[in-house]
Amino acid sequence: MSLHPTLQPYADAWTHSIEAISELVSPLVEGEWNRRTPCPAWSVRDVVSHVIGLDCEMLGDPRPIHTLPRDLYHVTNEQQRYTEMQVDVRRHHTAPEMTSELEYVIIRRNRQLRNESRDPGTKVRGPYGSELTLEESMRRHAFDVWVHEQDLRAALGRPGNLDSPGAHIARDYLLAELPAVVAEKSDAPRSSAVVFDVHGPIEFLRTIRVDIQGRGTLETAPALGPAAAFTLDWETYVRLACGRVTPEQVADRVKAEGEPQLTAAILRNFAVTP
């Protein structure tokens, strides 16, 4: 038995991203681990700690028993407390400790993937005590690790892999969230359309059509006379959708046409990651 073909793209994307992360951080000196990343409130060390923690959870390791300090002002809810636990427990780890733990967890996860014979629909433990399918778990994980690879690249001034296997997983993951962004969160008019034209290493043209009931659907056909239209590059799309920048910070990289209140609402609600 081997990995189900449905799961292989997610395993490939994870492998590509995690090896890139390992290559990025292996030569870092102690001080570079403290560099700020675009991921709010997290340093390079924190992002790598989070990635290690994600893979430990994919392995089924028990979560650390750890009390968070009270002065973590960016931690304001239970979801953030859950996520921060794996990060804070490693905050005083040295560079060699970080890289050796990362390498060890990569070895363990590669072994796990080689022996993975479960069906994609198998229910597994998800974050925050949830339950989800193995396929959804691996899809989210491939997306998360690629996004954090990009956080590290931004912090270290090493851009790249914007068209890697993980980038394609991220494109599909983020596009699946667009109908809710436009129709529900931004309250786009019923029987209207909103167009997104994205260029760069990954290119696509997508339309969100809002029906008479106010439900949004994702389509590849362009719309004539849309209520709003956005033209932007792929990197900016990712940074906005992942909450790494505000619309104001990238105003010069986003061309927004249409009713100003609607375009502002869509950009304001564009971030879909917690």
Side-chain angles (χ1 to χ4, degrees):
M1 295 292 287
S2 61
L3 197 64
H4 193 282
T6 307
L7 304 176
Q8 193 65 54
Y10 306 126
D12 292 344
W14 170 82
T15 300
H16 195 277
S17 293
I18 203 78
E19 288 179 355
I21 287 173
S22 179
E23 190 179 310
L24 283 167
V25 302
S26 291
L28 298 185
V29 298
E30 202 66 54
E32 291 175 300
W33 286 84
N34 299 321
R35 283 193 190 179
R36 292 184 63 175
T37 72
C39 192
W42 279 0
S43 66
V44 167
R45 178 184 280 99
D46 295 341
V47 169
V48 176
S49 296
H50 176 59
V51 169
I52 291 170
L54 288 173
D55 272 302
C56 287
E57 303 217 358
M58 295 294 282
L59 284 159
D61 291 354
R63 283 177 53 74
I65 297 169
H66 178 69
T67 303
L68 289 179
R70 293 174 179 235
D71 60 352
L72 296 177
Y73 299 114
H74 62 282
V75 178
T76 58
N77 58 45
E78 280 309 306
Q79 186 173 331
Q80 290 170 342
R81 288 181 65 80
Y82 182 99
T83 303
E84 197 73 19
M85 204 73 78
Q86 294 277 16
V87 174
D88 192 69
V89 78
R90 295 176 175 85
R91 280 223 160 93
H92 301 293
H93 286 196
T94 63
E97 286 173 329
M98 293 299 298
T99 52
S100 61
E101 187 180 12
L102 177 63
E103 288 306 314
Y104 183 51
V105 85
I106 291 172
I107 291 167
R108 293 176 64 213
R109 281 280 289 138
N110 276 322
R111 187 186 303 131
Q112 181 188 39
L113 289 170
R114 279 198 306 273
N115 297 324
E116 182 59 82
S117 59
R118 291 176 291 178
D119 184 83
T122 305
K123 294 289 187 181
V124 297
R125 185 184 78 181
Y128 325 118
S130 62
E131 197 177 68
L132 67 172
T133 66
L134 178 61
E135 181 178 0
E136 177 62 15
S137 174
M138 288 184 64
R139 184 178 79 100
R140 283 191 196 180
H141 190 58
F143 167 71
D144 282 343
V145 175
W146 179 81
V147 170
H148 291 307
E149 178 199 338
Q150 293 303 314
D151 286 332
L152 295 170
R153 288 186 176 281
L156 300 169
R158 296 274 306 278
N161 284 352
L162 283 166
D163 59 350
S164 67
H168 289 269
I169 302 292
R171 175 200 60 196
D172 295 344
Y173 189 100
L174 295 173
L175 281 173
E177 301 290 335
L178 260 189
V181 167
V182 171
E184 297 167 31
K185 296 179 183 175
S186 306
D187 201 24
R190 298 180 179 206
S191 302
S192 70
V194 175
V195 173
F196 296 86
D197 185 358
V198 174
H199 55 88
I202 288 184
E203 297 188 338
F204 54 86
L205 180 70
R206 294 292 187 274
T207 300
I208 303 299
R209 291 196 183 275
V210 185
D211 66 16
I212 196 69
Q213 278 83 38
R215 291 188 296 259
T217 54
L218 179 70
E219 298 182 4
T220 55
L224 296 174
F230 297 88
T231 305
L232 66 163
D233 65 274
W234 167 236
E235 185 178 8
T236 302
Y237 184 98
V238 169
R239 292 169 73 201
L240 276 169
C242 296
R244 277 17 182 199
V245 290
T246 63
E248 292 75 23
Q249 288 172 314
V250 290
D252 60 328
R253 300 184 67 169
V254 180
K255 181 183 177 186
E257 299 174 288
E259 204 282 307
Q261 277 189 307
L262 176 59
T263 59
I266 291 170
L267 289 172
R268 190 171 60 247
N269 291 294
F270 207 70
V272 295
T273 59

